[in-house]
């Protein structure tokens, strides 16, 4: 619970803002969440715990299949990996 609470809370806040229930949800809604919310705050390489939180909630509640799985979800994340850029400049490391 503690491990995935950040991801689950992030998802439920987005659902509330959209006026929908977090459970059950479908793959299309999850991909919309990824593109319209997570992509603005989380690096694509760090999204897996957020997706696992959503999947586990669906599995544990037995309310529906895990929606954050599948080739289309993975393609959405891979596409973001190619397009995301850091908002913070990388620090220059100078040799001593």
């Amino acid at each position: 619970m503690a491990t995935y609470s950040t991801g689950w809370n992030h998802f439920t806040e987005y659902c509330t803002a959209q006026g929908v229930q977090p459970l059950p949800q479908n793959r299309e809604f999850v991909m919309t969440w990824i593109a319209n919310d997570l992509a603005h705050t989380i690096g694509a390489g760090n999204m897996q715990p957020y997706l696992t939180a959503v999947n586990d909630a669906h599995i544990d509640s037995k309310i529906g299949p895990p929606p954050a799985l599948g080739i289309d979800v993975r393609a959405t994340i891979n596409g973001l990996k190619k397009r995301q850029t850091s908002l913070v400049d990388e620090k220059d490391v100078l040799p001593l």
Side-chain angles (χ1 to χ4, degrees), residues 23-65:
L23 290 172
Q25 267 313 323
N26 59 49
R27 187 173 296 127
E28 290 78 18
F29 183 81
V30 169
M31 289 187 299
T32 299
W33 171 55
I34 291 168
N36 294 333
D37 183 41
L38 281 187
H40 298 281
T41 57
I42 307 296
N46 299 318
M47 290 182 182
Q48 190 56 53
Y50 291 79
L51 303 178
T52 300
V54 173
N55 285 334
D56 284 357
H58 281 75
I59 293 167
D60 293 346
S61 68
K62 298 178 177 38
I63 199 163

Side-chain angles (χ1 to χ4, degrees), residues 65-83:
L69 294 175
I71 194 165
D72 45 357
V73 173
R74 184 61 34 213
T76 300
I77 293 170
N78 288 339
L80 286 172
K81 284 181 183 177
K82 294 177 183 177
R83 290 175 177 81

